Amino acid sequence: DVPRILTIFEDHFKNTELAIKALKLILMIQMTFPGVPCIYYGDEAGVRGSTDPDNRRTYPWGKENKEILTCYREMIALINNNDIFINGDFESLYIDDDVYAFKRSLNDKNAVILINPSDKKKDIFISALNISVDINAMSGLIIKWTYSF
């Protein structure tokens, strides 16, 4: 058994707001990377817990963290409404010490996912797409487009 992801981030950042931002970034990666995402029951509600048995807390019915639950719902809806994240091809586009960008593509649809877990806003250039992007600190960005001829 493993500690809850929110607990891991709270222990690391010593700040609940930053822990939730980090959780949202991890969720964005988890939901847009290839493969089937696995959610440990209760993580979507903000359940906390360190090692066993503390990590086996019950679901907090009626006391869920609404911000985290909303984020999970929005990311799950994104996947359910966009085949690109289910069947799309995957390509890494940009990696440095702070920012990671990858592309998912399917037929004429494309999405670029950018993740910046650093504490600084970043301006990056993705040469494969010939675009510059500003991405705020501790944030993620999804850019979607369709080719038209």
Side-chain angles (χ1 to χ4, degrees), residues 9 13 17-25 115-121 135-140:
F9 285 142
F13 290 109
E17 183 180 335
L18 288 178
I20 290 173
K21 284 184 177 186
L23 175 62
K24 289 178 177 181
L25 290 179
I115 306 294
N116 177 11
S118 77
D119 60 353
K120 296 178 183 75
K121 181 178 178 179
I135 182 166
N136 290 327
M138 285 294 286
S139 67

Short mmCIF file of all heavy atoms in Angstrom, two decimals, residues 9 13 17-25 115-121 135-140:
data_model
loop_
_atom_site.label_atom_id
_atom_site.label_comp_id
_atom_site.label_asym_id
_atom_site.label_seq_id
_atom_site.Cartn_x
_atom_site.Cartn_y
_atom_site.Cartn_z
N PHE A 9 2.15 15.20 -1.66
CA PHE A 9 2.40 16.58 -2.08
C PHE A 9 2.33 17.55 -0.90
O PHE A 9 3.11 18.50 -0.83
CB PHE A 9 1.43 17.00 -3.18
CG PHE A 9 1.74 16.41 -4.51
CD1 PHE A 9 0.72 16.00 -5.35
CD2 PHE A 9 3.04 16.27 -4.96
CE1 PHE A 9 1.00 15.46 -6.60
CE2 PHE A 9 3.34 15.73 -6.20
CZ PHE A 9 2.31 15.33 -7.03
N PHE A 13 5.41 20.01 -0.18
CA PHE A 13 5.28 21.47 -0.31
C PHE A 13 5.01 22.18 1.01
O PHE A 13 5.21 23.39 1.10
CB PHE A 13 4.17 21.82 -1.30
CG PHE A 13 4.49 21.49 -2.72
CD1 PHE A 13 3.84 20.43 -3.35
CD2 PHE A 13 5.43 22.21 -3.44
CE1 PHE A 13 4.13 20.12 -4.68
CE2 PHE A 13 5.72 21.90 -4.76
CZ PHE A 13 5.07 20.85 -5.37
N GLU A 17 -2.42 24.51 -0.78
CA GLU A 17 -2.73 25.11 -2.08
C GLU A 17 -1.76 24.62 -3.16
O GLU A 17 -2.17 24.24 -4.26
CB GLU A 17 -2.68 26.63 -1.98
CG GLU A 17 -3.06 27.34 -3.26
CD GLU A 17 -3.02 28.86 -3.13
OE1 GLU A 17 -3.16 29.38 -2.02
OE2 GLU A 17 -2.83 29.51 -4.17
N LEU A 18 -0.46 24.61 -2.85
CA LEU A 18 0.52 24.10 -3.81
C LEU A 18 0.36 22.60 -4.03
O LEU A 18 0.55 22.12 -5.15
CB LEU A 18 1.94 24.41 -3.34
CG LEU A 18 2.38 25.86 -3.43
CD1 LEU A 18 3.79 26.03 -2.87
CD2 LEU A 18 2.31 26.38 -4.86
N ALA A 19 0.01 21.88 -2.99
CA ALA A 19 -0.21 20.44 -3.12
C ALA A 19 -1.35 20.16 -4.09
O ALA A 19 -1.26 19.25 -4.93
CB ALA A 19 -0.50 19.82 -1.76
N ILE A 20 -2.42 20.93 -4.01
CA ILE A 20 -3.56 20.73 -4.92
C ILE A 20 -3.18 21.11 -6.34
O ILE A 20 -3.56 20.41 -7.29
CB ILE A 20 -4.79 21.51 -4.41
CG1 ILE A 20 -5.32 20.84 -3.13
CG2 ILE A 20 -5.89 21.57 -5.48
CD1 ILE A 20 -6.43 21.60 -2.44
N LYS A 21 -2.39 22.17 -6.51
CA LYS A 21 -1.93 22.53 -7.86
C LYS A 21 -1.08 21.40 -8.45
O LYS A 21 -1.23 21.05 -9.62
CB LYS A 21 -1.12 23.83 -7.83
CG LYS A 21 -1.96 25.06 -7.69
CD LYS A 21 -1.09 26.31 -7.78
CE LYS A 21 -1.94 27.55 -7.72
NZ LYS A 21 -1.15 28.77 -7.95
N ALA A 22 -0.20 20.84 -7.65
CA ALA A 22 0.64 19.73 -8.12
C ALA A 22 -0.22 18.52 -8.47
O ALA A 22 0.02 17.85 -9.49
CB ALA A 22 1.68 19.37 -7.06
N LEU A 23 -1.23 18.24 -7.65
CA LEU A 23 -2.14 17.13 -7.93
C LEU A 23 -2.84 17.34 -9.27
O LEU A 23 -2.98 16.40 -10.06
CB LEU A 23 -3.15 17.00 -6.80
CG LEU A 23 -4.25 15.95 -6.99
CD1 LEU A 23 -3.67 14.56 -7.10
CD2 LEU A 23 -5.25 16.02 -5.85
N LYS A 24 -3.26 18.56 -9.54
CA LYS A 24 -3.94 18.85 -10.82
C LYS A 24 -3.00 18.63 -12.00
O LYS A 24 -3.42 18.14 -13.05
CB LYS A 24 -4.47 20.28 -10.81
CG LYS A 24 -5.65 20.49 -9.90
CD LYS A 24 -6.09 21.94 -9.93
CE LYS A 24 -7.31 22.20 -9.10
NZ LYS A 24 -7.73 23.61 -9.17
N LEU A 25 -1.72 19.00 -11.84
CA LEU A 25 -0.75 18.77 -12.93
C LEU A 25 -0.54 17.29 -13.17
O LEU A 25 -0.51 16.83 -14.32
CB LEU A 25 0.57 19.45 -12.60
CG LEU A 25 0.59 20.96 -12.64
CD1 LEU A 25 1.97 21.49 -12.27
CD2 LEU A 25 0.19 21.47 -14.01
N ILE A 115 3.18 21.15 -19.44
CA ILE A 115 3.18 21.08 -17.99
C ILE A 115 4.36 21.88 -17.46
O ILE A 115 5.49 21.66 -17.87
CB ILE A 115 3.32 19.61 -17.51
CG1 ILE A 115 2.26 18.71 -18.14
CG2 ILE A 115 3.33 19.53 -16.00
CD1 ILE A 115 0.85 19.00 -17.71
N ASN A 116 4.07 22.81 -16.54
CA ASN A 116 5.12 23.61 -15.91
C ASN A 116 4.97 23.51 -14.39
O ASN A 116 4.21 24.26 -13.79
CB ASN A 116 5.04 25.07 -16.34
CG ASN A 116 6.07 25.94 -15.65
OD1 ASN A 116 6.98 25.45 -15.01
ND2 ASN A 116 5.93 27.24 -15.78
N PRO A 117 5.69 22.58 -13.75
CA PRO A 117 5.58 22.46 -12.30
C PRO A 117 6.48 23.42 -11.53
O PRO A 117 6.49 23.40 -10.31
CB PRO A 117 6.02 21.01 -12.06
CG PRO A 117 6.99 20.75 -13.15
CD PRO A 117 6.50 21.53 -14.34
N SER A 118 7.22 24.26 -12.23
CA SER A 118 8.15 25.16 -11.55
C SER A 118 7.40 26.33 -10.91
O SER A 118 6.21 26.51 -11.11
CB SER A 118 9.19 25.70 -12.54
OG SER A 118 8.63 26.71 -13.36
N ASP A 119 8.13 27.13 -10.17
CA ASP A 119 7.52 28.28 -9.52
C ASP A 119 7.70 29.56 -10.34
O ASP A 119 7.50 30.66 -9.83
CB ASP A 119 8.10 28.47 -8.11
CG ASP A 119 9.60 28.70 -8.11
OD1 ASP A 119 10.23 28.59 -9.19
OD2 ASP A 119 10.15 28.97 -7.03
N LYS A 120 8.03 29.41 -11.63
CA LYS A 120 8.24 30.56 -12.50
C LYS A 120 7.47 30.41 -13.81
O LYS A 120 7.35 29.32 -14.35
CB LYS A 120 9.73 30.70 -12.83
CG LYS A 120 10.60 30.99 -11.63
CD LYS A 120 12.06 31.06 -12.05
CE LYS A 120 12.96 31.28 -10.87
NZ LYS A 120 13.14 30.12 -10.04
N LYS A 121 6.97 31.53 -14.32
CA LYS A 121 6.35 31.54 -15.64
C LYS A 121 7.44 31.26 -16.67
O LYS A 121 8.57 31.73 -16.53
CB LYS A 121 5.71 32.91 -15.89
CG LYS A 121 5.02 33.02 -17.21
CD LYS A 121 4.36 34.38 -17.37
CE LYS A 121 3.71 34.47 -18.73
NZ LYS A 121 3.04 35.76 -18.93
N ILE A 135 3.67 29.85 -20.42
CA ILE A 135 2.94 28.98 -19.49
C ILE A 135 3.25 29.42 -18.07
O ILE A 135 4.41 29.56 -17.69
CB ILE A 135 3.26 27.49 -19.74
CG1 ILE A 135 2.44 26.60 -18.81
CG2 ILE A 135 4.72 27.20 -19.67
CD1 ILE A 135 2.41 25.14 -19.18
N ASN A 136 2.19 29.66 -17.32
CA ASN A 136 2.33 30.15 -15.95
C ASN A 136 2.97 29.11 -15.03
O ASN A 136 2.98 27.92 -15.34
CB ASN A 136 0.96 30.55 -15.39
CG ASN A 136 0.43 31.79 -16.06
OD1 ASN A 136 1.19 32.68 -16.44
ND2 ASN A 136 -0.87 31.87 -16.21
N ALA A 137 3.47 29.59 -13.90
CA ALA A 137 4.05 28.71 -12.90
C ALA A 137 2.99 27.75 -12.37
O ALA A 137 1.82 28.10 -12.29
CB ALA A 137 4.62 29.55 -11.75
N MET A 138 3.42 26.54 -12.03
CA MET A 138 2.54 25.51 -11.47
C MET A 138 1.24 25.37 -12.25
O MET A 138 0.15 25.40 -11.70
CB MET A 138 2.23 25.80 -10.00
CG MET A 138 3.37 25.53 -9.04
SD MET A 138 3.82 23.79 -8.91
CE MET A 138 2.46 23.14 -7.96
N SER A 139 1.37 25.24 -13.56
CA SER A 139 0.15 25.13 -14.36
C SER A 139 0.35 24.20 -15.54
O SER A 139 1.46 23.84 -15.91
CB SER A 139 -0.31 26.51 -14.85
OG SER A 139 0.62 27.04 -15.76
N GLY A 140 -0.76 23.85 -16.13
CA GLY A 140 -0.78 23.03 -17.33
C GLY A 140 -1.64 23.70 -18.37
O GLY A 140 -2.47 24.56 -18.06
#
